[in-house]
Amino acid sequence: MLETNLERIRHNLETLSTFNSTPDHGCTRLSFSHEHRRALDFLTEACTSLGMDVVIDPVGNFRARLKGSSLSAPAVMCGSHIDTVLHGGKFDGAAGVVAALEALTVIKEQEVSLRHPLELIAFVEEEGASFGGGLVGSKALVGQYTVKDLMKIVNDEGVSFYEAAKRFGLNPDDLENYVIKKGDVKALIELHIEQGNVLYTKSIPLGVVEAIVGIRQLSVTLTGMANHAGTTPMNLRHDALAAASKLISFVEHCARHEAFDTTVATVGKIHCFPNVTNVIPGKVVFSVDIRDIRDEGISKVEQLIREEVKRISSEYGLQYSISLVGDSKPVKLSEEVISVIQRTAEEIGVKYLKMHSGAGHDSAILTEVTDVGMIFVPSIEGISHAPDENTTFEDLKTGCDVLVNSLVKLAQ
Ligand SMILES: [Zn+2]
């Protein structure tokens, strides 16, 4: 069994975390920023010194390849994303990139001979912190986004992803030549922090991910009548916020009691108009985010919410509209890759839990073109997307040990 090096993992992760535009306020590394450039330079240097061929693709995905003995065999990939949210942590994404680098370093050091090439990937713009939506690098990589789509994805300054990539020195027009098709890649394993507290609470060092949730996001608008809060009797009101409050409770009730134990639903954003103390709210817009590993769970909750919006709107005399803001399907990961990861964990003697991911990942997108597995390592207190995001280096090393030995099995 190969063993990874905890001190090197720590050193590489700490180094990546210094490419940060908000020191002392969490880690911020936005796509196409100066910090992104420095992180790419760091990876380029590290991979080149291992004798790997490095390519930064037309949208900014970093890809480095270690040759196998077969020139025609498809690559086995590993990695994660290199960007962060604003004031995020230093492990989200970076943990998987550092783990992949460590795995390839150990394989090179130990002169393990493999038939398949190995490829490290650091996806660009997973979080959507600059351009909204997220998963841009992986979607472009599998051909879900074309050059035209990249022109339509725009940041807060009105600059398109396409334009930003060009300013970064890339040639997005060349995307087509870099798209991965079925058969090009044998398998992908992404190591990632759990970003929840399941592993931490159970004191289990490793999660083997079986499925990634689907996410459906709605925007609900309720329109009533703004009026004087003192002179309008209760029976003559069309209070959009009072109606919204019932619906928000209903969303929570629905996910708790009307679907599966894997179903979750959240109202995380609300705008009230005019938002004035002595005026009855005339209009409210709120978000609904529904997730499950089963489409039926998502659809059932969505259906019940739609019916309740209609019923409550009629009760309060409101107009309503519901728009679909985002929709991604739940995905099952590859049984073959899952069993390789499990077998490896058992051989090393690492306790693991089979679980699902409640967050979206580039891995979900890659299932379109290859067999995908994911390894989770515990997040202390379940904290993520925040400066206090943390994982012990012992746990990260355990994840790296399972990763490297799983890669060897897949690439033999
Ligand atoms: Zn992430």
Side-chain angles (χ1 to χ4, degrees):
M1 282 288 159
L2 298 173
E3 198 180 345
T4 57
N5 180 326
L6 188 143
E7 281 315 314
R8 191 165 52 201
I9 294 167
R10 187 201 305 272
H11 176 261
N12 285 338
L13 194 111
E14 297 291 0
T15 304
L16 258 188
S17 76
T18 62
F19 310 135
N20 172 12
S21 66
T22 56
D24 304 324
H25 302 280
C27 189
T28 305
R29 190 168 45 251
L30 302 181
S31 299
F32 307 135
S33 62
H34 174 63
E35 296 72 34
H36 181 194
R37 169 80 66 205
R38 292 187 65 203
L40 292 177
D41 289 347
F42 166 73
L43 289 176
T44 302
E45 162 84 40
C47 291
T48 310
S49 72
L50 289 174
M52 300 170 76
D53 296 323
V54 172
V55 168
I56 294 167
D57 82 2
V59 294
N61 293 314
F62 176 93
R63 297 175 66 179
R65 183 175 274 239
L66 194 62
K67 284 191 187 71
S69 62
S70 161
L71 292 177
S72 57
V76 175
M77 260 187 173
C78 56
S80 189
H81 59 93
I82 192 84
D83 60 319
T84 71
V85 295
L86 189 66
H87 305 299
K90 60 185 178 190
F91 290 87
D92 182 357
V97 173
V98 166
L101 177 60
E102 177 62 21
L104 296 181
T105 305
V106 170
I107 285 169
K108 181 79 185 176
E109 263 181 2
Q110 301 295 317
E111 297 173 356
V112 183
S113 147
L114 298 169
R115 197 171 91 78
H116 293 263
L118 292 173
E119 192 177 310
L120 181 155
I121 185 153
F123 292 103
V124 69
E125 190 60 5
E126 188 269 353
E127 299 285 7
S130 306
F131 293 89
L135 306 171
V136 180
S138 49
K139 285 182 173 177
L141 188 69
V142 303
Q144 266 190 37
Y145 279 161
T146 62
V147 173
K148 275 202 175 126
D149 294 320
L150 300 179
M151 292 174 179
K152 288 184 214 148
I153 300 169
V154 176
N155 68 13
D156 288 343
E157 283 89 53
V159 179
S160 70
F161 186 93
Y162 173 87
E163 186 55 36
K166 276 196 146 177
R167 288 182 197 172
F168 200 62
L170 303 168
N171 180 15
D173 289 311
D174 207 18
L175 173 61
E176 213 177 310
N177 296 322
Y178 289 80
V179 167
I180 293 181
K181 297 180 191 71
K182 263 196 181 129
D184 290 349
V185 173
K186 187 191 175 199
L188 163 77
I189 302 181
E190 178 175 10
L191 179 147
H192 202 280
I193 54 167
E194 182 202 333
Q195 301 181 279
N197 52 17
V198 175
L199 293 173
Y200 179 75
T201 310
K202 291 182 191 283
S203 296
I204 297 177
L206 194 89
V208 181
V209 181
E210 296 180 285
I212 299 173
V213 293
I215 308 172
R216 198 163 301 164
Q217 292 176 328
L218 309 172
S219 174
V220 179
T221 303
L222 304 174
T223 310
M225 177 83 79
N227 210 334
H228 198 294
T231 61
T232 317
M234 295 310 285
N235 63 339
L236 294 179
R237 294 178 178 219
H238 304 284
D239 184 334
L241 187 57
S245 74
K246 293 204 166 173
L247 289 168
I248 293 166
S249 303
F250 182 78
V251 169
E252 215 238 346
H253 159 86
C254 242
R256 252 180 215 272
H257 303 293
E258 303 290 343
F260 305 113
D261 57 2
T262 49
T263 319
V264 293
T266 309
V267 175
K269 193 164 101 179
I270 181 164
H271 290 292
C272 172
F273 303 92
N275 210 24
V276 170
T277 308
N278 58 2
V279 179
I280 298 162
K283 182 173 146 183
V284 168
V285 183
F286 63 90
S287 63
V288 180
D289 176 300
I290 314 164
R291 302 179 183 217
D292 201 344
I293 50 168
R294 280 179 280 189
D295 228 357
E296 306 94 272
I298 297 175
S299 296
K300 181 160 190 213
V301 168
E302 182 193 6
Q303 190 52 37
L304 289 169
I305 290 170
R306 284 182 181 271
E307 285 164 17
E308 191 68 359
V309 169
K310 187 176 173 193
R311 195 184 72 75
I312 294 275
S313 295
S314 144
E315 188 184 317
Y316 280 78
L318 311 175
Q319 304 284 320
Y320 73 89
S321 67
I322 303 171
S323 55
L324 183 66
V325 178
D327 192 18
S328 68
K329 295 267 169 268
V331 295
K332 282 198 166 54
L333 300 187
S334 154
E335 300 213 353
E336 195 201 326
V337 180
I338 290 170
S339 83
V340 165
I341 297 170
Q342 271 181 279
R343 196 148 42 87
T344 307
E346 282 156 17
E347 285 166 8
I348 300 177
V350 174
K351 203 172 158 197
Y352 64 87
L353 182 73
K354 286 176 103 175
M355 60 192 302
H356 74 262
S357 170
H361 293 288
D362 293 308
S363 278
I365 305 298
L366 269 287
T367 58
E368 272 193 22
V369 293
T370 189
D371 285 347
V372 175
M374 280 193 88
I375 292 171
F376 273 174
V377 290
S379 295
I380 295 174
E381 306 280 359
I383 297 167
S384 175
H385 281 191
D388 287 340
E389 176 183 280
N390 203 358
T391 293
T392 68
F393 283 101
E394 287 73 21
D395 283 344
L396 184 51
K397 177 192 178 288
T398 300
C400 290
D401 287 344
V402 174
L403 174 68
V404 65
N405 290 291
S406 299
L407 289 172
V408 167
K409 285 189 177 75
L410 288 166
Q412 257 162 1

